[in-house]
Amino acid sequence: MKLLNLLAIACFALLLSCQQADHEKGTAEAAKAEMTVKAPLQLIIIGGPGAGKGTQARRIKDAYGIAHISTGAILRQEVADSTELGMKVQEVMARGDLVADDIILNLIEKRLKQPDCDPGFILDGFPRTLEQAQSLAPILQRRGNANIKVLLLEVSDEEMEKRLLGRGRADDTAETIKNRIAKFHRETSQAINYYQQSGILIRVNGEQSIEDVAAEIDTVLK
Ligand code: B4P
């Protein structure tokens, strides 16, 4: 009788450990499935100079765990390091003109190959011309995922001018700001129309407080 009891207890314990193992296997498989199904979040944030692209992109990077790629920041670093590229673009940027498309496209394709872009990325300040927008699609196709969402921060010229004069970066002089705003209307508006026609443009009111713009972005990304 005692032996029977011992046997029953042993069988029960074995059954429990099998169930536990099955449960752990199931949980691990579910987590793995979730990881493989979750597609990388690929975003563009577009808007005029001082629209708040950098401000919002830095927060999105942290909140969504994706890479933040600012062409402006990369170029400013090249200038600060006096690299060959930096020397080439220094004057162009100081005038508030746009850097040549081939330079920017080369820079973006290289940057997107870095492993921190695997979970997704936000492109801040790129594309700025129709040529850059049209050339991005094949770059993304070569990476194996052409899905992208475009957030447009809408801000009036007067507000952008006011913000940039308040920021006071080296390229934030009254004359340069006027040129950058004009370039935005002449060049970047064509990239915006291209995304509008592709049906992937999401308009966000960029003229609210930084927190309210962030909340609106979170809502549209859900
Ligand atoms: P960028 O570095 O892209 O900078 P930006 O357009 O001047 O500013 P951004 O929109 O990021 O504004 P921020 O958040 O800082 O470009 C600089 C230059 O690089 C270009 O002129 C060009 O020469 C070159 N370049 C870059 N990319 C290129 C490309 N693809 N092709 C060719 N050339 C390229 O905000 C501005 C200020 O407003 C800050 O002080 C911020 O605190 C404030 N602010 C932000 N949001 C606000 C809000 N909601 N309310 C009140 N203030 C706000």
Side-chain angles (χ1 to χ4, degrees), residues 37-193:
V37 171
K38 209 173 168 200
L41 179 62
Q42 304 192 148
L43 298 173
I44 289 171
I45 191 157
I46 205 166
K53 302 180 293 290
T55 304
Q56 296 300 328
R58 281 188 290 277
R59 187 200 67 89
I60 291 171
K61 168 195 188 245
D62 295 333
Y64 294 83
I66 57 177
H68 172 205
I69 304 175
S70 159
T71 38
I74 297 173
L75 294 169
R76 279 189 291 279
Q77 191 59 50
E78 296 283 337
V79 172
D81 294 345
S82 302
T83 63
E84 199 182 319
L85 172 61
M87 312 277 235
K88 224 187 242 178
V89 301
Q90 189 167 21
E91 270 186 38
V92 178
M93 291 177 77
R95 283 197 305 268
D97 284 339
L98 292 178
V99 171
D101 288 336
D102 59 332
I103 293 181
I104 298 285
L105 286 163
N106 189 21
L107 192 146
I108 282 287
E109 182 146 27
K110 266 199 209 141
R111 180 64 184 85
L112 285 173
K113 285 188 178 141
Q114 291 179 17
D116 65 326
C117 296
D118 291 350
F121 53 80
I122 178 157
L123 298 174
D124 158 15
F126 173 91
R128 259 178 157 93
T129 63
L130 180 61
E131 157 99 35
Q132 290 180 17
Q134 286 172 333
S135 304
L136 177 63
I139 292 177
L140 293 180
Q141 265 149 15
R142 283 197 285 279
R143 292 182 82 249
N145 181 359
N147 284 332
I148 196 133
K149 286 181 184 164
V150 184
L151 300 167
L152 168 64
L153 290 183
E154 295 188 294
V155 178
S156 66
D157 291 1
E158 296 70 33
E159 176 67 17
M160 292 194 289
E161 203 172 333
K162 195 176 95 194
R163 286 184 193 174
L164 292 179
L165 285 171
R167 182 175 66 178
R169 209 169 60 194
D171 57 341
D172 289 340
T173 63
E175 198 185 330
T176 305
I177 292 167
K178 282 213 170 5
N179 188 25
R180 283 155 64 198
I181 292 179
K183 286 269 164 353
F184 169 69
H185 290 300
R186 208 175 313 136
E187 307 266 355
T188 311
S189 63
Q190 294 181 35
I192 294 169
N193 289 342

